[in-house]
Amino acid sequence: MKRPMPYDIVASLAGHDEGKLFMVIDCQADRLLLCDGKGRSLAGPKKKSPKHVRLIRQSNIPPKTDKDIRTTLAQAVAQTAAKEGELLGER
């Protein structure tokens, strides 16, 4: 599986935040720095192992504010829901 890069959208697979979407802010040697724009802001990113996240969508647009992150994550949720609906035969 491809390792997430900065500004990609990932889903947490483990921990108390399991199932939650985050944006990767930075990649360190063995950790990713993740933000969701609300509980984890740009000023206080969460450190998480790359093996505990799943890549949802690639992006290359750097966020300027926490609101940019929240907007991008909301769009990712909407697109993921639409794709799942198409797979289930809904329109």
Side-chain angles (χ1 to χ4, degrees):
M1 175 178 241
K2 185 178 177 206
R3 181 182 166 103
M5 300 303 291
Y7 317 125
D8 288 348
I9 307 299
V10 297
S12 174
L13 299 176
H16 71 278
D17 57 5
E18 183 177 353
K20 209 170 167 189
L21 292 183
F22 291 94
M23 179 179 277
V24 178
I25 299 304
D26 192 19
C27 299
Q28 297 176 340
D30 62 342
R31 296 279 183 233
L32 299 174
L33 297 180
L34 308 175
C35 290
D36 66 1
K38 191 173 183 180
R40 289 297 183 161
S41 65
L42 284 168
K46 176 177 185 62
K47 291 181 183 179
K48 198 154 186 95
S49 172
K51 67 182 179 180
H52 292 151
V53 299
R54 178 181 54 147
L55 181 64
I56 299 295
R57 189 175 82 179
Q58 293 180 324
S59 177
N60 59 0
I61 302 170
K64 293 183 177 82
T65 64
D66 289 325
K67 184 173 179 159
D68 292 343
I69 293 173
R70 290 191 305 268
T71 302
T72 302
L73 294 177
Q75 290 171 349
V77 167
Q79 289 176 351
T80 302
K83 285 181 184 178
E84 288 177 1
E86 289 174 9
L87 292 175
L88 295 174
E90 300 171 3
R91 291 190 179 203

